[in-house]
Amino acid sequence: MIGKAFLATFRAILADRAVLLLMVGSAIVYSFFYPAAYSGEVVVRIPVAVVDNDHTAASRALAVKVRGLQQAQIVAQAPSSQEALRLMSERRIDAFVLIPDGFGRAILRDEQGHVALYGNGAFLLRSSTSLASLGTALAALGREAAVSQSMAKGAPAAAPLAVIARPLFNTREGYGSAVVPGVTFLIIQQTMVMGIGMLAATRREALGPHAFSPATFAGAALAFFAIGLSVVLYYIGFVFWFQDYPRAGAQALTLMVSATLFVAAVVCGAMALASVFRTRERPVQLWIITSLPIFFLSNLSWPVEQTPTWLAALARLLPTTPGIHLMVGANQMGASLGEQAPELANLLLLILLYGAIAYARLVRRQPLRRTETP
């Protein structure tokens, strides 16, 4: 009986074009469409200008340092700051560095050299990136000047400490690598909620509030679980590799246990929520107004330490809150099951809670007198 309900649920999904597109088609579309917006993860070759009023070896060395940056590209050697401002107003450059007269002499005299950096504040990301890159060039030149000055004074030529920054997980330090892996599991949850909700609402319209027998309930839940697990495996097994997002090479057992608990919690939560839907349109309306709050409540982009305690506790009732941390931790950071024990326990409790609610609200205690069609 469960097997028949399992197959009947798949037939119902295939026959319902809207549900099929939500649960299967959207997973494929999102896997290529959504990451495309973050394909250029790191800003590179931002046009900048140099205004050199010093014309010394030190100022030319600074220009060479700027040319060696990946984030910036010198497109003009402006004769004056007014000319550089004109280029910026015409959006031909995003920033420029002004090297004043006396910059080289100050360095030779063992004094501080001063330069001015200007950026276009209308484009915050481009401006901050270009100014930060120019600051990197200045820092490199400053270190070289400090070594030369130390050598002239008889001090050791080499610095006693060198800082080398190597990101552990987000190796490119890109926005897409930080956001897309987590948002992926939010997308999976929301599409599952919409698809399951639409099917359950259709069934309730035909058979009443308690529209499932125990067997059909179990068969439908297994069918939804199979689809959800396939989508998760599709993303962590192919999409993250194809889109070249950081992966830690976690153990297959860790990934399977994590994916199984996450999908099971999503299915149970979706079926519990579906028990309150009376029309097919309600799940879509709910998705529109809840996706963004759910993302912020997952504490992927907002630290949990800055979230009110009661709100952080409430967020634990959403499968995405422990699910995103569990899946990102296992897939992107290589965390073990032991290290993720709190998230696993959270998902197990949600499976029991929402599974019980869904069963109580959807399953009838007396069989129907008429023949039902799953």
Side-chain angles (χ1 to χ4, degrees):
M1 190 68 178
I2 294 178
K4 292 182 179 179
F6 179 84
L7 296 176
T9 302
F10 272 104
R11 287 196 294 269
I13 293 173
L14 293 174
D16 194 321
R17 183 176 301 178
V19 174
L20 181 63
L21 288 176
L22 279 172
M23 301 185 70
V24 180
S26 62
I28 300 174
V29 172
Y30 269 115
S31 67
F32 296 99
F33 173 75
Y34 183 68
Y38 306 100
S39 58
E41 290 201 71
V42 181
V43 182
V44 296
R45 298 305 178 193
I46 297 178
V48 300
V50 174
V51 181
D52 188 358
N53 292 335
D54 190 47
H55 303 291
T56 62
S59 64
R60 289 191 291 271
L62 176 57
V64 171
K65 295 290 184 185
V66 174
R67 287 192 179 92
L69 296 172
Q70 181 185 15
Q71 295 89 348
Q73 179 180 15
I74 297 178
V75 297
Q77 289 274 359
S80 65
S81 58
Q82 289 78 13
E83 176 65 16
L85 288 172
R86 185 186 66 81
L87 294 175
M88 186 180 294
S89 66
E90 296 175 355
R91 295 181 58 183
R92 295 170 60 183
I93 62 173
D94 287 281
F96 70 91
V97 54
L98 173 61
I99 308 175
D101 185 22
F103 173 74
R105 289 194 302 271
I107 293 179
L108 293 175
R109 291 174 182 171
D110 197 12
E111 300 174 355
Q112 288 186 345
H114 297 277
V115 298
L117 303 179
Y118 296 86
N120 186 354
F123 301 92
L124 183 59
L125 178 61
R126 295 177 63 90
S127 176
S128 61
T129 302
S130 57
L131 292 179
S133 64
L134 293 175
T136 301
L138 285 170
L141 182 65
R143 287 192 296 269
E144 293 179 1
V147 170
S148 300
Q149 292 172 353
S150 298
M151 292 177 63
K153 294 179 179 179
L161 179 66
V163 178
I164 301 176
R166 291 182 179 175
L168 292 178
F169 308 117
N170 188 351
T171 54
R172 293 194 227 166
E173 298 183 282
Y175 187 71
S177 297
V179 173
V180 172
V183 174
T184 292
F185 302 105
L186 172 62
I187 292 172
I188 292 173
Q189 173 185 280
Q190 296 298 83
T191 54
M192 291 291 293
V193 167
M194 286 189 289
I196 294 173
M198 293 178 70
L199 279 180
T202 302
R203 190 178 180 88
R204 287 188 66 185
E205 290 176 357
L207 301 177
H210 299 282
F212 292 84
S213 67
T216 55
F217 178 85
L222 286 175
F224 296 143
F225 173 80
I227 293 175
L229 186 61
S230 299
V231 172
V232 170
L233 295 179
Y234 165 70
Y235 271 93
I236 65 177
F238 171 73
V239 176
F240 291 161
W241 166 81
F242 181 79
Q243 300 291 349
D244 197 23
Y245 287 123
R247 289 166 293 123
Q251 295 182 355
L253 177 62
T254 301
L255 289 175
M256 281 302 301
V257 171
S258 302
T260 297
L261 291 180
F262 170 67
V263 174
V266 169
V267 170
C268 290
M271 295 189 74
L273 188 62
S275 66
V276 303
F277 295 142
R278 296 182 179 179
T279 61
R280 288 172 56 90
E281 294 77 16
R282 290 290 182 264
V284 179
Q285 295 170 346
L286 184 69
W287 167 77
I288 293 174
I289 64 174
T290 60
S291 294
L292 191 59
I294 289 175
F295 171 71
F296 284 111
L297 286 173
S298 70
N299 298 122
L300 181 66
S301 62
W302 184 264
V304 67
E305 292 79 9
Q306 297 296 322
T307 304
T309 304
W310 67 270
L311 190 58
L314 186 64
R316 285 287 169 177
L317 295 175
L318 299 170
T320 45
T321 301
I324 287 176
H325 289 278
L326 178 65
M327 296 305 301
V328 171
N331 195 53
Q332 268 71 42
M333 300 181 181
S336 65
L337 292 177
E339 292 170 331
Q340 297 279 60
E343 315 299 341
L344 296 171
N346 193 168
L347 288 175
L348 282 172
L349 291 175
L350 293 182
I351 292 171
L352 295 175
L353 173 63
Y354 293 134
I357 294 174
Y359 188 88
R361 290 186 56 85
L362 290 176
V363 176
R364 58 181 175 270
R365 292 164 180 78
Q366 298 294 332
L368 288 176
R369 293 181 181 179
R370 54 188 174 137
T371 304
E372 67 169 24
T373 56

